[in-house]
Amino acid sequence: MEEMKIAPHEVFAMHELLQLKNIWTLKIAGLTGQIADPKLRSILETDLENSQKQIETLRDCVRQYEFGIN
């Protein structure tokens, strides 16, 4: 299998995206309890679950490329 390499600026971009996702997830988690509309609450809860999965994926990618684990 061919080893994939990415440039340092791409790892930095993943860090930035991870920070944005973390902030967004915290904001959604704080707002969800204050939303009265069930449909909007459901949308936010779904987005929260998706964001948490994306954060885990990004963390794994960042760790993999920071430490050269391919």
Side-chain angles (χ1 to χ4, degrees):
M1 179 192 288
E2 187 176 319
E3 187 175 309
M4 233 173 58
K5 296 193 183 219
I6 64 173
H9 73 277
E10 292 172 312
V11 175
F12 182 72
M14 283 195 296
H15 272 284
E16 288 180 324
L17 185 56
L18 186 55
Q19 283 182 314
L20 289 172
K21 280 288 186 186
N22 278 323
I23 291 167
W24 177 247
T25 302
L26 288 172
K27 185 165 187 149
I28 291 174
L31 288 176
T32 302
Q34 301 172 9
I35 304 297
D37 180 47
K39 188 172 183 176
L40 180 56
R41 181 186 290 245
S42 175
I43 291 169
L44 287 175
E45 287 172 347
T46 301
D47 193 45
L48 179 61
E49 290 172 16
N50 290 337
S51 291
Q52 288 171 335
K53 290 175 187 173
Q54 291 169 349
I55 286 170
E56 284 303 313
T57 302
L58 279 169
R59 281 185 184 152
D60 291 343
C61 285
V62 167
R63 285 184 191 125
Q64 177 182 1
Y65 290 114
E66 276 185 337
F67 300 110
I69 305 167
N70 287 347

